[in-house]
Amino acid sequence: MSNQSYGPGSPKSFHAYPRGEFDLESGNSSKVRRSKNPQSEPLKMLKSIGNRFYHFYKLHPVAIFLISLSFGVTILIVLSVYESRVRMMGYRRVDDLRVGSGSYPFANLRNLVMVAGHSIYTSNSCGKIDREDSWFLEPYQRHPGQAATFLSHIREGVEIASKDEGALLLFSGGETRRDAGPRSEAQSYWAVAESKGWFGKQDSVRSRALTEEHARDSFENLLFSVCRFRELTGTYPQNITVVSYDFKGERFAHLHRSAIGFPEGGFFYFGTPASPSVKEAAKKGEASVRVQFQEDPYGCLGSLHHKKLKRDPFHRTIPYPNGCPELKGLFSYCGPVPYPGSLPWTQ
């Protein structure tokens, strides 16, 4: 009797029954059922949905387009509402912190009186205010009587503010002249008012007279002062009064006011005359500037933009609109037509 080896080198094993299931009673064998792959089911379902969508699109393409458009618009509306709520919550948090820390020192004031600066006082003595050599003047400003016009603007701003206990007086103008050093137009005007004892209105005006020291042109005089008002009061002005030259009335009261969308009924302009020796030349020059602002209301293009860059010799960083977040869109807007977004005074 031979011994049969069953090791690795042994012959192939014999299968008593064919592969698959074998029915002992009937003697029949059946194929083994392969288990379904569970991972293929979602793919088949997606494929089926895709096929149905494709056939529906073939039959009703317009309906699919309208449904897709409606879905997209809905998503945009939801995102816009969400963004607005997040932004407003951020504004409220900032306002709450400021109110809690008492950082709105003029929360009771409601109206703005803005005096637009035109030069920088450079004399070491405040006793020479009405002399041209005490001010840094551009060539077109060097004529008799020019210094007196600056003094007139300061006096009128103080006078107007003294008649309105709810007004904040702002002198506006940045460090616009390199050779004048790091002195702002606004600080010059405030210092002149101080040296003059606020023209007899010190007790009623001085405590609510401040500066806006970044404006580089007339449009920024207005816009930046509105933002500065918001920084100091926590609200936006109900009424705005601008003091400058009489020949600039159209520029401020129409072009600049329209550019920021401020209501005409709450905007007032007080103009003083230019020096008689340059009155006609001033009107002619103003006509040219008005045309430029008509074409470029926000001074963000061409010659107006380049002029602003030249009036920032010390590269001062403009802090706005940090203090007036509701105007962020307006500050970043540049176009030939008025800003289309909502503003605090148009809501």
Side-chain angles (χ1 to χ4, degrees):
M1 184 174 180
S2 62
N3 294 328
Q4 181 72 30
S5 174
Y6 295 97
S10 64
K12 294 181 179 180
S13 60
F14 172 77
H15 298 282
Y17 302 102
R19 293 184 178 182
E21 296 179 355
F22 186 81
D23 191 337
L24 292 176
E25 294 182 358
S26 63
N28 297 324
S29 62
S30 60
K31 294 182 178 180
V32 177
R33 294 182 180 179
R34 296 182 178 179
S35 60
K36 295 182 179 180
N37 184 1
Q39 295 182 350
S40 65
E41 292 301 323
L43 295 177
K44 290 181 179 180
M45 183 179 298
L46 290 176
K47 185 176 181 181
S48 175
I49 294 174
N51 289 335
R52 291 181 182 181
F53 181 82
Y54 176 76
H55 289 303
F56 186 80
Y57 171 75
K58 286 293 186 181
L59 294 175
H60 308 284
V62 176
I64 291 295
F65 172 76
L66 292 176
I67 292 173
S68 301
L69 181 63
S70 300
F71 180 75
V73 171
T74 301
I75 293 297
L76 290 176
I77 292 175
V78 171
L79 291 176
S80 177
V81 172
Y82 176 77
E83 182 183 7
S84 297
R85 288 184 177 180
V86 170
R87 186 184 298 114
M88 290 307 298
M89 288 176 65
Y91 295 162
R92 291 192 185 101
R93 283 196 294 269
V94 172
D95 287 346
D96 290 343
L97 289 174
R98 287 179 171 175
V99 172
S101 62
S103 56
Y104 287 133
F106 300 96
N108 61 318
L109 301 182
R110 293 292 177 264
N111 301 319
L112 168 63
V113 177
M114 186 273 286
V115 177
H118 294 90
S119 187
I120 297 171
Y121 191 77
T122 57
S123 175
N124 292 327
S125 172
C126 287
K128 304 177 180 179
I129 296 172
D130 57 351
R131 291 176 51 175
E132 278 66 45
D133 59 2
S134 295
W135 296 81
F136 184 89
L137 302 177
E138 296 291 352
Y140 66 87
Q141 294 177 311
R142 295 170 186 169
H143 50 78
Q146 182 66 33
T149 65
F150 305 149
L151 192 61
S152 177
H153 294 157
I154 299 168
R155 181 190 297 110
E156 293 301 335
V158 172
E159 187 67 26
I160 293 171
S162 70
K163 297 177 181 178
D164 182 1
E165 294 181 354
L168 174 69
L169 173 61
L170 287 179
F171 297 112
S172 173
E175 298 171 359
T176 56
R177 308 294 194 271
R178 183 183 184 87
D179 292 340
R183 307 179 185 184
S184 70
E185 297 172 353
Q187 279 290 346
S188 296
Y189 280 34
W190 194 96
V192 169
E194 179 81 350
S195 70
K196 285 291 186 179
W198 298 88
F199 305 97
K201 312 293 183 182
Q202 179 169 336
D203 293 341
S204 61
V205 175
R206 186 181 185 278
S207 62
R208 49 190 174 91
L210 286 94
T211 60
E212 183 293 301
E213 301 183 57
H214 296 278
R216 300 165 294 179
D217 65 10
S218 56
F219 175 69
E220 289 186 347
N221 284 140
L222 178 59
L223 179 60
F224 289 6
S225 292
V226 170
C227 188
R228 183 75 173 123
F229 186 95
R230 166 71 167 82
E231 286 182 330
L232 293 166
T233 68
T235 60
Y236 290 96
Q238 295 177 359
N239 299 286
I240 298 175
T241 300
V242 174
V243 178
S244 185
Y245 289 109
D246 53 8
F247 60 82
K248 292 187 177 183
E250 177 69 13
R251 188 201 305 190
F252 274 102
H254 179 66
L255 298 178
H256 296 341
R257 180 195 59 77
S258 297
I260 69 170
F262 199 83
E264 186 175 3
F267 193 91
F268 306 93
Y269 187 81
F270 189 93
T272 64
S275 175
S277 61
V278 294
K279 190 174 183 178
E280 294 303 320
K283 288 182 179 180
K284 184 177 180 180
E286 175 61 19
S288 175
V289 175
R290 279 204 306 269
V291 171
Q292 296 178 59
F293 271 112
Q294 287 171 352
E295 298 173 351
D296 181 17
Y298 300 91
C300 53
L301 302 169
S303 60
L304 292 177
H305 177 66
H306 292 303
K307 185 184 296 184
K308 283 197 291 190
L309 295 180
K310 291 181 180 179
R311 289 179 176 175
D312 184 22
F314 305 111
H315 290 196
R316 291 296 299 270
T317 299
I318 296 175
Y320 318 118
N322 290 341
C324 52
E326 299 87 354
L327 302 184
K328 183 177 180 181
L330 179 60
F331 269 82
S332 62
Y333 179 73
C334 180
V337 297
Y339 173 66
S342 62
L343 295 167
W345 41 83
T346 60
Q347 295 177 355

